[in-house]
């Protein structure tokens, strides 16, 4: 609410007229109020009765002031009831009055509005009161119940309805919980207002210093609301600046647009200070948009003596008419004297404020209804009346979604998450390719075998760049007599030189004929390579296991996490974890089996094996021959690169002359003249002394060719085995395992399902809170439909 809504109400003091005939009724219960004002006050009271004030800002009057400033007396004048006035007592908790006109006899219902652990509840306190004289005692006992929460929680609020010693040792000195008075009768108007504890400046020796801030916070909670009319009471018996209430009022209403000032106890003004208070009444000092009023209420002794409210108003008139300082005022200022003038002004302000706030109240209620419905919709479904079928349906949907993810989903699915680990595994296997060098170790620092170019077309640039012939970045094979097969990979020198291969071949010979070498040499190298494949295979299995487990847990949370108190999701997680572990064990057993298959070199892929052997042998042999006879090798390469020699035609002749061949061409031409045809340039290398390392070249080509065939097979088989046993295995018979593990199909299935379906207490409380809020809002909306605006 904009503060201008209040200030736009006519504020001129001259607009308030003193009625010629005292009103019938007491205070704002005046039945002669205009029909419009009564309609507005009636509406806001009905809105308060729905409890919607906890959700939206409803117009209300809050009475504030310092302790003993006369607030309670003012409330009594307005409401027509008597508040507790025992010696030493004061307002220690808010007292909310909800007045409503009724054709039925007068009655009062006292309730306690208690805030506990962030929730607010209303508890009826005692039976309905039909005699006004009983209200004071009931209010006193209600305050005892609020200020003794431990006893109240232990024995209930009704415990305080009997006995007279409950106020002797109060557990709290002040409380934000409040007493609610619902008063109705034929001489009662519709209105809501609240008497707040008086602001205190200090506490006694036995007091709690925290009470000062507690009371201030309490008052602030009410008056900071834009739709709150602040009824500021100031006692004339104490210096204005020392009372403090006006400071907090200024803090939240700095322009004084929604504050109404009330001067109380004018009969106690110290002699000589009358003009100071007259200046305030004239709005010359501490000006307010709605001005200052002065009232005189009956004393506690007068009330105890049985003075009626009609007689109290007559005594008030006599006081202002006979006391010089007040009777001498101009007529325009006399209209700010007396309770009935204050009441009329408050009635006009409140009804006008309500009228102007109604469109905004309706808008706020509509928005709140939509927001509350959305919040309820976003909550998990409430517990089902048939939990067995609901759990079965949830499990079926979960398993169906699990199967879908195992089969593969288009984006950000399980299969996509596994693929990087599979590619890393393939690279880890490929990098174990033996790096044979076709020259002796003594030339290691000077020479390096180039990469086989024929692999580029089948393995791509990325793989080709990190493999074969890179002696600076990879580990190597070297002899280790302590290992099972005599070969291990060491990080110091990964290259395998031809003289080392030859030495190993010679050492392996037993009864073979000269020039023959046992296959165990190739087998030993192959086993040393395949032995390295176990760790990457295990790593892939673990990566898939973790990725699969995370995906399964997300699906469990998605489908089952919001069901009940989470017990179903937790139990399914445990069962699925056990199921996943068994799948993992089977996958590891399959890896062990595949590793055992690789112990014995074997392949029926003879075509590719022979083709690779020929290519690698040519690769190694060419590099070797180039190293042994660089001139011959260079000549052969130049011959291969040279274009065909041109033919020459002589003038006046058809005879064709070719240039005289040289080098390799000359040798090949000479062999043709001798009748030896079909000789290739590479065959010329056989004319020189045979290479004693030829057997090592064949062994190297055998091992390298077999690796190329075997690694491709292994790089497919391991991911396939893991996919079958682990990935696809997780959804295999999973529904059957869940039913058996949960026991929902057994003799105790119904009981187990009911236990699993119990709703989470936090969600249940939230659902209840939102449902009650929605109910309040809908009731308030219905009340708004009963009035046109």
């Amino acid at each position: 609410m904009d503060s201008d809504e209040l200030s736009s109400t006519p504020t001129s003091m001259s607009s308030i007229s003193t009625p010629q005939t005292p009103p019938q009724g007491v205070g704002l219960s005046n039945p002669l109020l205009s029909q419009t004002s009564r309609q507005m006050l009636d509406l806001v009271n009905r809105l308060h009765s729905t409890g919607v004030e906890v959700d939206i800002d409803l117009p209300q009057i809050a009475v504030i002031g310092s302790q003993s400033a006369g607030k309670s007396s003012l409330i009594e004048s307005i409401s027509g009831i008597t508040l507790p006035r025992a010696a030493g007592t004061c307002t220690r908790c808010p007292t909310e009055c909800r007045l409503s006109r009724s054709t039925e006899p007068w009655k009062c219902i006292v309730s306690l509005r208690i805030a506990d652990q962030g929730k607010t509840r209303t508890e009826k306190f005692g039976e309905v009161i039909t005699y006004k004289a009983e209200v004071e005692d009931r209010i006193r006992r209600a305050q005892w119940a609020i200020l003794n929460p431990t006893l109240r929680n232990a024995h209930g609020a009704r415990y305080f309805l009997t006995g007279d010693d409950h106020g002797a040792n109060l557990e709290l000195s002040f409380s934000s919980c409040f007493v609610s008075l619902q008063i109705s009768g034929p001489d009662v108007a519709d209105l809501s207002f609240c008497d707040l504890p008086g602001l205190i400046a200090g506490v006694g020796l036995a007091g709690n210093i925290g009470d000062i801030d507690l009371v201030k916070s309490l008052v602030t909670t009410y008056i900071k609301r834009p739709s709150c009319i602040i009824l500021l009471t100031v006692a004339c018996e104490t210096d204005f600046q020392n009372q403090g209430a006006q400071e907090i009022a200024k803090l939240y209403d700095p322009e004084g647009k929604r504050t109404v000032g009330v001067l109380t106890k004018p009969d106690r003004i110290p002699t000589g200070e009358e003009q100071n208070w007259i200046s305030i009444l004239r709005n010359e000092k501490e000006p307010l948009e709605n001005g200052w009023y002065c009232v005189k209420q009956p004393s506690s002794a007068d009330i105890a003596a049985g003075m009626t409210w009609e007689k109290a108003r007559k005594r008030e008139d006599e006081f202002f008419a006979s006391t010089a300082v007040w009777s001498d005022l101009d007529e325009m200022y006399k209209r700010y004297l007396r309770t009935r003038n204050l009441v009329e002004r408050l009635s006009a302000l409140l009804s006008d404020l309500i009228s102007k706030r109604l469109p905004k109240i309706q808008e706020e209620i509509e928005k709140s209804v939509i927001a509350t419905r959305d919040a309820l919709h976003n909550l998990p479904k409430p517990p089902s009346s048939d939990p067995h079928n609901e759990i079965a349906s949830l499990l079926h949907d979960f398993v169906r979604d699990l199967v879908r993810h195992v089969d593969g989903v288009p984006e950000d699915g399980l299969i996509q998450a596994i693929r990087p680990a599979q590619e890393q595994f393939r690279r880890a296997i490929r990098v174990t390719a033996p790096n044979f060098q076709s020259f002796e170790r003594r030339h290691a620092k000077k020479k390096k075998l180039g990469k086989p170019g024929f692999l580029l077309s089948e393995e791509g640039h990325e793989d080709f760049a990190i493999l074969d012939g890179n002696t600076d970045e990879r580990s190597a094979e070297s002899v280790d007599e302590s290992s099972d097969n005599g070969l291990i990979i060491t990080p110091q020198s990964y290259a395998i030189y031809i003289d080392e291969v030859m030495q190993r071949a010679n050492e392996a010979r037993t009864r073979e004929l000269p020039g023959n070498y046992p296959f165990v040499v190739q087998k030993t190298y192959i086993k040393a390579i395949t032995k390295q494949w176990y760790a990457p295979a295990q790593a892939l299995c673990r990566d898939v296991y973790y990725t699969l487990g995370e995906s399964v847990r997300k699906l469990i949370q998605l489908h089952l996490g919001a069901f009940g108190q989470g017990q179903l999701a937790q139990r399914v997680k445990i069962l699925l974890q056990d199921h996943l572990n068994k799948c993992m064990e089977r996958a590891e057993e399959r890896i062990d089996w595949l590793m055992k298959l690789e112990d014995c070199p074997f392949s029926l892929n003879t075509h590719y094996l022979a083709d690779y052997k020929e290519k690698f042998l040519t690769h190694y042999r060419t590099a070797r021959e180039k190293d042994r006879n660089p001139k011959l090798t260079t000549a052969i390469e130049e011959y291969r690169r040279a274009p065909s020699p041109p033919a020459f035609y002589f003038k006046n002749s058809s005879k064709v002359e070719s240039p005289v061949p040289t080098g390799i061409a000359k040798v090949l031409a000479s062999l043709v003249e001798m009748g030896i045809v079909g000789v290739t340039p590479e065959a010329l290398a056989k004319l020189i002394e045979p290479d004693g390392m030829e057997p090592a070249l064949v062994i190297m080509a055998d091992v390298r060719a077999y690796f190329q065939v075997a690694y491709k097979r292994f790089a497919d088989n391991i991911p396939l085995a893991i996919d079958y046993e682990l990935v696809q295995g997780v959804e295999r018979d999973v529904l059957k395992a869940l039913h058996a593990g949960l026991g929902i199909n057994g003799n105790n299935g119904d009981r187990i399902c009911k236990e699993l379906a119990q709703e989470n207490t936090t969600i249940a409380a939230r659902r209840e809170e939102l449902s009650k809020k929605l109910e309040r809002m809908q009731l308030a909306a219905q009340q708004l439909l009963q009035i046109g605006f």
Side-chain angles (χ1 to χ4, degrees), residues 328-344:
D328 294 341
L329 286 171
D330 294 339
E331 288 300 320
M332 64 175 297
Y333 295 120
K334 287 182 180 180
R335 293 165 181 165
Y336 287 98
L337 305 177
R338 299 175 178 81
T339 302
R340 60 174 174 267
N341 289 334
L342 169 65
V343 166
E344 288 181 3

Side-chain angles (χ1 to χ4, degrees), residues 576-642:
L576 261 295
Q577 188 64 48
D578 180 67
H579 183 66
L580 194 60
N581 290 340
K582 292 177 180 178
C583 294
M584 176 73 166
E585 291 174 2
R586 290 194 292 269
E588 290 178 331
E589 290 173 359
R590 187 65 64 182
I591 290 173
D592 292 340
W593 183 75
L594 289 172
M595 284 298 301
K596 290 177 182 178
L597 293 183
E598 296 298 335
D599 282 347
C600 184
F602 175 82
S603 177
L604 289 179
N605 198 351
T606 54
H607 171 73
Y608 284 105
L609 185 63
D611 182 60
Y612 275 125
K613 178 178 178 180
E614 180 63 27
K615 290 179 179 178
F616 278 108
L617 184 58
T618 300
H619 173 66
Y620 293 142
R621 186 178 285 158
T622 300
R624 178 74 181 170
E625 291 172 353
K626 185 177 182 179
D627 183 54
R628 293 179 62 240
N629 196 330
K631 292 184 65 176
L632 176 60
T633 304
T634 301
I636 293 173
E637 290 178 352
E638 290 177 352
Y639 174 80
R640 288 292 190 189
R641 290 195 298 266

Side-chain angles (χ1 to χ4, degrees), residues 33-105:
L33 289 173
S34 70
Q35 182 62 31
T36 302
S37 296
R38 183 170 298 283
Q39 194 178 40
M40 293 298 102
L41 297 175
D42 177 70
L43 174 63
V44 80
N45 190 67
R46 294 199 307 270
L47 291 176
H48 274 286
S49 67
T50 67
V52 78
E53 72 273 7
V54 302
D55 307 299
I56 61 175
D57 182 21
L58 291 180
Q60 188 179 36
I61 297 173
V63 186
I64 71 169
S66 301
Q67 273 192 350
S68 302
K71 298 185 293 74
S72 297
S73 297
L74 191 58
I75 292 296
E76 291 174 337
S77 294
I78 294 174
S79 64
I81 62 172
T82 302
L83 299 177
R85 288 178 174 273
T89 63
C90 63
T91 305
R92 296 189 175 273
C93 60
T95 301
E96 181 187 73
C97 294
R98 291 196 286 126
L99 312 177
S100 60
R101 187 184 60 174
S102 172
T103 57
E104 298 179 0

Side-chain angles (χ1 to χ4, degrees), residues 148-331:
N148 289 282
T150 302
L151 279 176
R152 184 186 68 240
N153 293 334
H155 303 288
R158 295 186 62 87
Y159 172 76
F160 295 90
L161 290 171
T162 58
D164 296 324
D165 59 343
H166 303 306
N169 296 299
L170 297 177
E171 184 178 344
L172 303 176
S173 51
F174 292 92
S175 174
S176 59
C177 300
F178 61 84
V179 178
S180 177
L181 306 179
Q182 186 175 351
I183 302 172
S184 62
D187 60 345
V188 178
D190 298 288
L191 180 63
S192 290
F193 58 91
C194 191
D195 179 24
L196 300 176
L199 295 169
I200 54 178
V203 294
L205 294 177
N208 185 353
I209 191 67
D211 290 342
I212 299 175
D213 291 333
L214 175 61
V215 172
K216 187 174 182 180
S217 175
L218 243 171
V219 172
T220 299
T221 302
Y222 283 81
I223 68 172
K224 70 180 181 181
R225 300 172 185 171
S227 291
C228 177
I229 296 176
I230 304 172
L231 192 56
L232 172 62
T233 58
V234 177
C236 295
E237 64 180 343
T238 307
D239 184 72
F240 183 90
Q241 300 299 330
N242 293 336
Q243 299 194 41
Q246 78 283 359
E247 294 182 2
I248 193 170
K250 282 183 179 180
L251 182 63
Y252 293 96
D253 183 27
E255 297 181 4
K257 291 186 177 182
R258 55 187 180 91
T259 300
V260 178
V262 183
L263 303 179
T264 64
K265 304 180 182 181
D267 54 327
R268 300 185 184 180
I269 297 177
T271 303
E273 296 183 7
E274 292 85 355
Q275 290 305 315
N276 291 333
W277 297 104
I278 293 297
S279 297
I280 294 175
L281 181 71
R282 290 172 175 170
N283 223 21
E284 297 169 351
K285 295 172 61 176
E286 306 295 336
L288 298 173
E289 285 277 341
N290 296 289
W292 286 86
Y293 291 78
C294 185
V295 299
K296 181 184 181 307
Q297 307 301 338
S299 66
S300 299
D302 292 335
I303 295 175
M307 179 181 289
T308 64
W309 293 111
E310 289 79 1
K311 188 173 182 180
R313 297 286 69 80
K314 185 177 180 181
R315 286 277 187 91
E316 183 183 39
D317 287 340
E318 292 173 354
F319 171 79
F320 287 116
S322 61
T323 306
V325 68
W326 306 109
S327 61
D328 294 341
L329 286 171
D330 294 339
E331 288 300 320

